Amino acid sequence: MKQWVKMPSDWIKDGEGTKLRSLKWQGEEKSDYIAALMLYLIFVHHANDEITTQFDEVGRCSITYDALLAITGLSKAKISGGIQVLKSLELILVLQNGNRNVYVVKNYGEFSGWAKLPAKRLYSRSMSELSVFQNFKLRSKVELNALKIYLLILALRNNHSNAASVSYEKISTYTGVARNDIRKALSFLVTQGLVHVDQHSTEINEYSTSSRYRPCFIDAYKHQGTSGRVPK
């Protein structure tokens, strides 16, 4: 597996986060939303980025339920529920190839509208499980909020600074996460080793600072100490 893979990102920003905003921590199946975002990352990780003997189009992966169980730690019911959510959001298609499913990541082959998604470093050494997901219990809205914000950070990441500079107001607009819940979700991402939070000075005054959110495991040599200010 590569250090990072291309992930379609227009759906995260399009219409100011319509699809992310629709995933709210309410209803009997709310934990399926967490499962859906977990599974989306895995399908992107395992999608083919070039034509192969198995697939004549990019953005496809054939992965068994047993493999998904091991990678995510989810139950079969949650995997099924998460897949249904992704289908309803039109983020994936599910095709039949004999007795196996082929998961098609929508808009995978687009030349624009993609983000770098960390891959290999998120997995265990054996590549049999996505290590960070082992701490997800699917019982708290902070997990859903954190995953939505993580996707937004990846989508808004500036290639020069290797970070996303985005206000709480914009985070809330794109993701639907309440402003009062954002800090807790960001702390969760930091604790899980998914995001670094850097402080940098602004031009408001000599004491003013703002936050940049830097995804872990992407271009590690690019950080506040090496990139400086983002060019205007």
Side-chain angles (χ1 to χ4, degrees), residues 6-27:
K6 287 185 175 183
M7 178 185 72
S9 63
D10 274 350
W11 69 272
I12 299 170
K13 300 175 289 183
D14 183 42
E16 295 191 325
T18 302
K19 292 182 179 180
L20 282 181
R21 289 179 64 88
S22 70
L23 304 180
K24 301 177 181 180
W25 189 251
Q26 59 187 37

Side-chain angles (χ1 to χ4, degrees), residues 34-122:
I34 301 175
L37 297 182
M38 293 167 67
L39 291 167
Y40 184 76
L41 299 184
I42 292 167
F43 293 146
V44 175
H45 282 156
H46 291 80
N48 63 310
D49 59 0
E50 57 185 24
I51 305 302
T52 67
T53 56
Q54 184 180 13
F55 299 123
D56 58 4
E57 294 185 64
V58 297
R60 285 152 167 72
C61 69
S62 181
I63 186 169
T64 66
Y65 259 54
D66 285 342
L68 291 174
L69 287 168
I71 293 171
T72 63
L74 297 173
S75 67
K76 286 187 177 181
K78 286 297 115 181
I79 290 174
S80 178
I83 289 172
Q84 291 304 314
V85 171
L86 293 177
K87 288 170 62 179
S88 68
L89 292 176
E90 299 184 335
L91 293 178
I92 67 167
L93 294 174
V94 182
L95 307 177
Q96 292 292 321
N97 182 13
N99 60 353
R100 299 188 68 177
N101 287 336
V102 175
Y103 302 98
V104 181
V105 179
K106 299 287 290 292
N107 302 316
Y108 184 90
E110 298 294 326
F111 290 104
S112 61
W114 60 269
K116 288 182 177 180
L117 170 65
K120 185 176 181 180
R121 293 286 300 278
L122 296 183

